[in-house]
PDB file of all heavy atoms in Angstrom:
ATOM      1  N   LEU A 608      23.138  16.649 -17.939  1.00  0.00           N
ATOM      2  CA  LEU A 608      21.959  16.553 -17.072  1.00  0.00           C
ATOM      3  C   LEU A 608      21.290  17.916 -16.926  1.00  0.00           C
ATOM      4  O   LEU A 608      20.064  18.042 -17.041  1.00  0.00           O
ATOM      5  CB  LEU A 608      22.360  16.022 -15.698  1.00  0.00           C
ATOM      6  CG  LEU A 608      21.249  16.035 -14.628  1.00  0.00           C
ATOM      7  CD1 LEU A 608      20.128  15.074 -14.995  1.00  0.00           C
ATOM      8  CD2 LEU A 608      21.811  15.698 -13.243  1.00  0.00           C
ATOM      9  N   ASP A 609      22.097  18.938 -16.694  1.00  0.00           N
ATOM     10  CA  ASP A 609      21.535  20.269 -16.475  1.00  0.00           C
ATOM     11  C   ASP A 609      20.750  20.748 -17.693  1.00  0.00           C
ATOM     12  O   ASP A 609      19.671  21.331 -17.560  1.00  0.00           O
ATOM     13  CB  ASP A 609      22.672  21.247 -16.153  1.00  0.00           C
ATOM     14  CG  ASP A 609      22.152  22.559 -15.588  1.00  0.00           C
ATOM     15  OD1 ASP A 609      21.387  22.523 -14.603  1.00  0.00           O
ATOM     16  OD2 ASP A 609      22.494  23.615 -16.151  1.00  0.00           O
ATOM     17  N   ALA A 610      21.255  20.456 -18.892  1.00  0.00           N
ATOM     18  CA  ALA A 610      20.545  20.867 -20.111  1.00  0.00           C
ATOM     19  C   ALA A 610      19.213  20.138 -20.239  1.00  0.00           C
ATOM     20  O   ALA A 610      18.201  20.737 -20.626  1.00  0.00           O
ATOM     21  CB  ALA A 610      21.424  20.599 -21.337  1.00  0.00           C
ATOM     22  N   ARG A 611      19.204  18.858 -19.924  1.00  0.00           N
ATOM     23  CA  ARG A 611      17.958  18.100 -19.992  1.00  0.00           C
ATOM     24  C   ARG A 611      16.942  18.608 -18.968  1.00  0.00           C
ATOM     25  O   ARG A 611      15.737  18.699 -19.252  1.00  0.00           O
ATOM     26  CB  ARG A 611      18.230  16.613 -19.753  1.00  0.00           C
ATOM     27  CG  ARG A 611      18.864  15.914 -20.929  1.00  0.00           C
ATOM     28  CD  ARG A 611      17.874  15.729 -22.094  1.00  0.00           C
ATOM     29  NE  ARG A 611      16.713  14.941 -21.709  1.00  0.00           N
ATOM     30  CZ  ARG A 611      16.673  13.619 -21.682  1.00  0.00           C
ATOM     31  NH1 ARG A 611      17.750  12.923 -22.035  1.00  0.00           N
ATOM     32  NH2 ARG A 611      15.578  12.990 -21.336  1.00  0.00           N
ATOM     33  N   LEU A 612      17.394  18.928 -17.771  1.00  0.00           N
ATOM     34  CA  LEU A 612      16.493  19.433 -16.737  1.00  0.00           C
ATOM     35  C   LEU A 612      15.859  20.753 -17.177  1.00  0.00           C
ATOM     36  O   LEU A 612      14.647  20.946 -17.049  1.00  0.00           O
ATOM     37  CB  LEU A 612      17.245  19.619 -15.415  1.00  0.00           C
ATOM     38  CG  LEU A 612      17.743  18.352 -14.726  1.00  0.00           C
ATOM     39  CD1 LEU A 612      18.497  18.701 -13.446  1.00  0.00           C
ATOM     40  CD2 LEU A 612      16.592  17.410 -14.409  1.00  0.00           C
ATOM     41  N   ARG A 613      16.667  21.627 -17.695  1.00  0.00           N
ATOM     42  CA  ARG A 613      16.143  22.916 -18.135  1.00  0.00           C
ATOM     43  C   ARG A 613      15.166  22.734 -19.290  1.00  0.00           C
ATOM     44  O   ARG A 613      14.153  23.419 -19.370  1.00  0.00           O
ATOM     45  CB  ARG A 613      17.299  23.845 -18.534  1.00  0.00           C
ATOM     46  CG  ARG A 613      18.151  24.271 -17.346  1.00  0.00           C
ATOM     47  CD  ARG A 613      19.340  25.143 -17.767  1.00  0.00           C
ATOM     48  NE  ARG A 613      20.133  25.539 -16.628  1.00  0.00           N
ATOM     49  CZ  ARG A 613      19.863  26.575 -15.845  1.00  0.00           C
ATOM     50  NH1 ARG A 613      18.815  27.344 -16.118  1.00  0.00           N
ATOM     51  NH2 ARG A 613      20.623  26.854 -14.821  1.00  0.00           N
ATOM     52  N   GLY A 614      15.481  21.803 -20.176  1.00  0.00           N
ATOM     53  CA  GLY A 614      14.583  21.542 -21.294  1.00  0.00           C
ATOM     54  C   GLY A 614      13.239  20.990 -20.856  1.00  0.00           C
ATOM     55  O   GLY A 614      12.231  21.170 -21.548  1.00  0.00           O
ATOM     56  N   ASN A 615      13.201  20.318 -19.709  1.00  0.00           N
ATOM     57  CA  ASN A 615      11.950  19.775 -19.176  1.00  0.00           C
ATOM     58  C   ASN A 615      11.328  20.673 -18.114  1.00  0.00           C
ATOM     59  O   ASN A 615      10.414  20.242 -17.392  1.00  0.00           O
ATOM     60  CB  ASN A 615      12.198  18.381 -18.584  1.00  0.00           C
ATOM     61  CG  ASN A 615      12.361  17.329 -19.664  1.00  0.00           C
ATOM     62  OD1 ASN A 615      11.612  17.296 -20.636  1.00  0.00           O
ATOM     63  ND2 ASN A 615      13.348  16.458 -19.512  1.00  0.00           N
ATOM     64  N   GLY A 616      11.810  21.893 -18.004  1.00  0.00           N
ATOM     65  CA  GLY A 616      11.196  22.860 -17.100  1.00  0.00           C
ATOM     66  C   GLY A 616      11.501  22.657 -15.633  1.00  0.00           C
ATOM     67  O   GLY A 616      10.750  23.124 -14.767  1.00  0.00           O
ATOM     68  N   VAL A 617      12.615  21.980 -15.316  1.00  0.00           N
ATOM     69  CA  VAL A 617      12.977  21.723 -13.925  1.00  0.00           C
ATOM     70  C   VAL A 617      14.032  22.724 -13.476  1.00  0.00           C
ATOM     71  O   VAL A 617      15.043  22.917 -14.149  1.00  0.00           O
ATOM     72  CB  VAL A 617      13.512  20.292 -13.740  1.00  0.00           C
ATOM     73  CG1 VAL A 617      14.020  20.086 -12.318  1.00  0.00           C
ATOM     74  CG2 VAL A 617      12.424  19.289 -14.069  1.00  0.00           C
ATOM     75  N   ARG A 618      13.771  23.350 -12.339  1.00  0.00           N
ATOM     76  CA  ARG A 618      14.727  24.274 -11.734  1.00  0.00           C
ATOM     77  C   ARG A 618      14.944  23.834 -10.294  1.00  0.00           C
ATOM     78  O   ARG A 618      14.071  23.985  -9.446  1.00  0.00           O
ATOM     79  CB  ARG A 618      14.203  25.717 -11.766  1.00  0.00           C
ATOM     80  CG  ARG A 618      14.002  26.279 -13.164  1.00  0.00           C
ATOM     81  CD  ARG A 618      15.326  26.498 -13.882  1.00  0.00           C
ATOM     82  NE  ARG A 618      15.125  27.169 -15.169  1.00  0.00           N
ATOM     83  CZ  ARG A 618      14.874  26.526 -16.294  1.00  0.00           C
ATOM     84  NH1 ARG A 618      14.782  25.204 -16.310  1.00  0.00           N
ATOM     85  NH2 ARG A 618      14.702  27.185 -17.430  1.00  0.00           N
ATOM     86  N   LEU A 619      16.115  23.272 -10.023  1.00  0.00           N
ATOM     87  CA  LEU A 619      16.413  22.842  -8.667  1.00  0.00           C
ATOM     88  C   LEU A 619      16.801  24.034  -7.801  1.00  0.00           C
ATOM     89  O   LEU A 619      17.326  25.037  -8.295  1.00  0.00           O
ATOM     90  CB  LEU A 619      17.558  21.821  -8.674  1.00  0.00           C
ATOM     91  CG  LEU A 619      17.293  20.505  -9.408  1.00  0.00           C
ATOM     92  CD1 LEU A 619      18.513  19.605  -9.304  1.00  0.00           C
ATOM     93  CD2 LEU A 619      16.065  19.807  -8.874  1.00  0.00           C
ATOM     94  N   ALA A 620      16.553  23.909  -6.494  1.00  0.00           N
ATOM     95  CA  ALA A 620      16.946  24.956  -5.558  1.00  0.00           C
ATOM     96  C   ALA A 620      18.472  25.018  -5.482  1.00  0.00           C
ATOM     97  O   ALA A 620      19.164  24.024  -5.763  1.00  0.00           O
ATOM     98  CB  ALA A 620      16.364  24.658  -4.180  1.00  0.00           C
ATOM     99  N   PRO A 621      19.026  26.163  -5.120  1.00  0.00           N
ATOM    100  CA  PRO A 621      20.480  26.247  -4.948  1.00  0.00           C
ATOM    101  C   PRO A 621      20.950  25.195  -3.953  1.00  0.00           C
ATOM    102  O   PRO A 621      20.262  24.909  -2.970  1.00  0.00           O
ATOM    103  CB  PRO A 621      20.692  27.670  -4.408  1.00  0.00           C
ATOM    104  CG  PRO A 621      19.480  28.426  -4.857  1.00  0.00           C
ATOM    105  CD  PRO A 621      18.353  27.439  -4.841  1.00  0.00           C
ATOM    106  N   PRO A 622      22.115  24.589  -4.189  1.00  0.00           N
ATOM    107  CA  PRO A 622      22.588  23.535  -3.291  1.00  0.00           C
ATOM    108  C   PRO A 622      22.824  24.052  -1.877  1.00  0.00           C
ATOM    109  O   PRO A 622      23.286  25.173  -1.676  1.00  0.00           O
ATOM    110  CB  PRO A 622      23.895  23.067  -3.945  1.00  0.00           C
ATOM    111  CG  PRO A 622      24.310  24.198  -4.827  1.00  0.00           C
ATOM    112  CD  PRO A 622      23.043  24.839  -5.305  1.00  0.00           C
ATOM    113  N   ALA A 623      22.464  23.212  -0.902  1.00  0.00           N
ATOM    114  CA  ALA A 623      22.647  23.565   0.506  1.00  0.00           C
ATOM    115  C   ALA A 623      24.018  23.087   0.970  1.00  0.00           C
ATOM    116  O   ALA A 623      24.723  22.356   0.274  1.00  0.00           O
ATOM    117  CB  ALA A 623      21.541  22.928   1.345  1.00  0.00           C
ATOM    118  N   VAL A 624      24.396  23.492   2.158  1.00  0.00           N
ATOM    119  CA  VAL A 624      25.665  23.080   2.752  1.00  0.00           C
ATOM    120  C   VAL A 624      25.419  21.820   3.570  1.00  0.00           C
ATOM    121  O   VAL A 624      24.463  21.733   4.332  1.00  0.00           O
ATOM    122  CB  VAL A 624      26.234  24.190   3.657  1.00  0.00           C
ATOM    123  CG1 VAL A 624      27.506  23.719   4.352  1.00  0.00           C
ATOM    124  CG2 VAL A 624      26.503  25.439   2.834  1.00  0.00           C
ATOM    125  N   VAL A 625      26.282  20.813   3.401  1.00  0.00           N
ATOM    126  CA  VAL A 625      26.110  19.567   4.139  1.00  0.00           C
ATOM    127  C   VAL A 625      26.371  19.803   5.621  1.00  0.00           C
ATOM    128  O   VAL A 625      27.393  20.364   5.996  1.00  0.00           O
ATOM    129  CB  VAL A 625      27.041  18.467   3.586  1.00  0.00           C
ATOM    130  CG1 VAL A 625      28.496  18.847   3.701  1.00  0.00           C
ATOM    131  CG2 VAL A 625      26.784  17.151   4.295  1.00  0.00           C
ATOM    132  N   PRO A 626      25.429  19.432   6.489  1.00  0.00           N
ATOM    133  CA  PRO A 626      25.645  19.644   7.923  1.00  0.00           C
ATOM    134  C   PRO A 626      26.684  18.673   8.488  1.00  0.00           C
ATOM    135  O   PRO A 626      26.665  17.483   8.179  1.00  0.00           O
ATOM    136  CB  PRO A 626      24.265  19.358   8.535  1.00  0.00           C
ATOM    137  CG  PRO A 626      23.303  19.364   7.401  1.00  0.00           C
ATOM    138  CD  PRO A 626      24.087  18.920   6.199  1.00  0.00           C
ATOM    139  N   HIS A 627      27.587  19.205   9.280  1.00  0.00           N
ATOM    140  CA  HIS A 627      28.509  18.402  10.088  1.00  0.00           C
ATOM    141  C   HIS A 627      29.379  17.463   9.264  1.00  0.00           C
ATOM    142  O   HIS A 627      29.607  16.312   9.633  1.00  0.00           O
ATOM    143  CB  HIS A 627      27.730  17.626  11.158  1.00  0.00           C
ATOM    144  CG  HIS A 627      26.784  18.479  11.922  1.00  0.00           C
ATOM    145  ND1 HIS A 627      27.220  19.506  12.741  1.00  0.00           N
ATOM    146  CD2 HIS A 627      25.423  18.489  11.966  1.00  0.00           C
ATOM    147  CE1 HIS A 627      26.159  20.109  13.271  1.00  0.00           C
ATOM    148  NE2 HIS A 627      25.058  19.510  12.818  1.00  0.00           N
ATOM    149  N   ALA A 628      29.863  17.971   8.106  1.00  0.00           N
ATOM    150  CA  ALA A 628      30.864  17.219   7.355  1.00  0.00           C
ATOM    151  C   ALA A 628      32.190  17.316   8.098  1.00  0.00           C
ATOM    152  O   ALA A 628      32.312  18.022   9.102  1.00  0.00           O
ATOM    153  CB  ALA A 628      30.987  17.773   5.947  1.00  0.00           C
ATOM    154  N   CYS A 629      33.200  16.591   7.614  1.00  0.00           N
ATOM    155  CA  CYS A 629      34.494  16.635   8.273  1.00  0.00           C
ATOM    156  C   CYS A 629      35.017  18.074   8.302  1.00  0.00           C
ATOM    157  O   CYS A 629      35.033  18.741   7.250  1.00  0.00           O
ATOM    158  CB  CYS A 629      35.485  15.726   7.557  1.00  0.00           C
ATOM    159  SG  CYS A 629      35.290  13.999   8.057  1.00  0.00           S
ATOM    160  N   PRO A 630      35.406  18.574   9.444  1.00  0.00           N
ATOM    161  CA  PRO A 630      35.696  20.017   9.596  1.00  0.00           C
ATOM    162  C   PRO A 630      36.822  20.521   8.721  1.00  0.00           C
ATOM    163  O   PRO A 630      36.793  21.656   8.279  1.00  0.00           O
ATOM    164  CB  PRO A 630      36.058  20.153  11.086  1.00  0.00           C
ATOM    165  CG  PRO A 630      36.369  18.768  11.541  1.00  0.00           C
ATOM    166  CD  PRO A 630      35.558  17.840  10.702  1.00  0.00           C
ATOM    167  N   ALA A 631      37.806  19.676   8.401  1.00  0.00           N
ATOM    168  CA  ALA A 631      38.955  20.176   7.656  1.00  0.00           C
ATOM    169  C   ALA A 631      38.586  20.628   6.260  1.00  0.00           C
ATOM    170  O   ALA A 631      39.213  21.516   5.708  1.00  0.00           O
ATOM    171  CB  ALA A 631      40.052  19.110   7.587  1.00  0.00           C
ATOM    172  N   ARG A 632      37.501  20.028   5.654  1.00  0.00           N
ATOM    173  CA  ARG A 632      37.204  20.353   4.258  1.00  0.00           C
ATOM    174  C   ARG A 632      35.727  20.673   4.068  1.00  0.00           C
ATOM    175  O   ARG A 632      35.220  20.654   2.961  1.00  0.00           O
ATOM    176  CB  ARG A 632      37.597  19.171   3.361  1.00  0.00           C
ATOM    177  CG  ARG A 632      39.073  18.836   3.484  1.00  0.00           C
ATOM    178  CD  ARG A 632      39.398  17.484   2.861  1.00  0.00           C
ATOM    179  NE  ARG A 632      39.454  17.576   1.415  1.00  0.00           N
ATOM    180  CZ  ARG A 632      39.818  16.567   0.643  1.00  0.00           C
ATOM    181  NH1 ARG A 632      40.151  15.406   1.172  1.00  0.00           N
ATOM    182  NH2 ARG A 632      39.846  16.693  -0.667  1.00  0.00           N
ATOM    183  N   ALA A 633      35.010  20.931   5.140  1.00  0.00           N
ATOM    184  CA  ALA A 633      33.568  21.155   5.041  1.00  0.00           C
ATOM    185  C   ALA A 633      33.243  22.320   4.135  1.00  0.00           C
ATOM    186  O   ALA A 633      32.261  22.305   3.403  1.00  0.00           O
ATOM    187  CB  ALA A 633      32.970  21.387   6.425  1.00  0.00           C
ATOM    188  N   ALA A 634      34.083  23.358   4.148  1.00  0.00           N
ATOM    189  CA  ALA A 634      33.773  24.532   3.343  1.00  0.00           C
ATOM    190  C   ALA A 634      33.792  24.239   1.867  1.00  0.00           C
ATOM    191  O   ALA A 634      33.133  24.894   1.074  1.00  0.00           O
ATOM    192  CB  ALA A 634      34.778  25.649   3.663  1.00  0.00           C
ATOM    193  N   ALA A 635      34.557  23.205   1.475  1.00  0.00           N
ATOM    194  CA  ALA A 635      34.645  22.877   0.056  1.00  0.00           C
ATOM    195  C   ALA A 635      33.507  21.981  -0.409  1.00  0.00           C
ATOM    196  O   ALA A 635      33.306  21.790  -1.591  1.00  0.00           O
ATOM    197  CB  ALA A 635      35.977  22.188  -0.238  1.00  0.00           C
ATOM    198  N   GLY A 636      32.787  21.393   0.524  1.00  0.00           N
ATOM    199  CA  GLY A 636      31.744  20.438   0.134  1.00  0.00           C
ATOM    200  C   GLY A 636      30.565  21.134  -0.509  1.00  0.00           C
ATOM    201  O   GLY A 636      30.104  22.155  -0.035  1.00  0.00           O
TER     202      GLY A 636
END
Side-chain angles (χ1 to χ4, degrees):
L608 173 66
D609 194 53
R611 285 288 300 277
L612 293 179
R613 292 177 180 276
N615 285 316
V617 174
R618 297 291 186 272
L619 297 181
V624 176
V625 61
H627 311 295
C629 278
R632 301 167 77 175

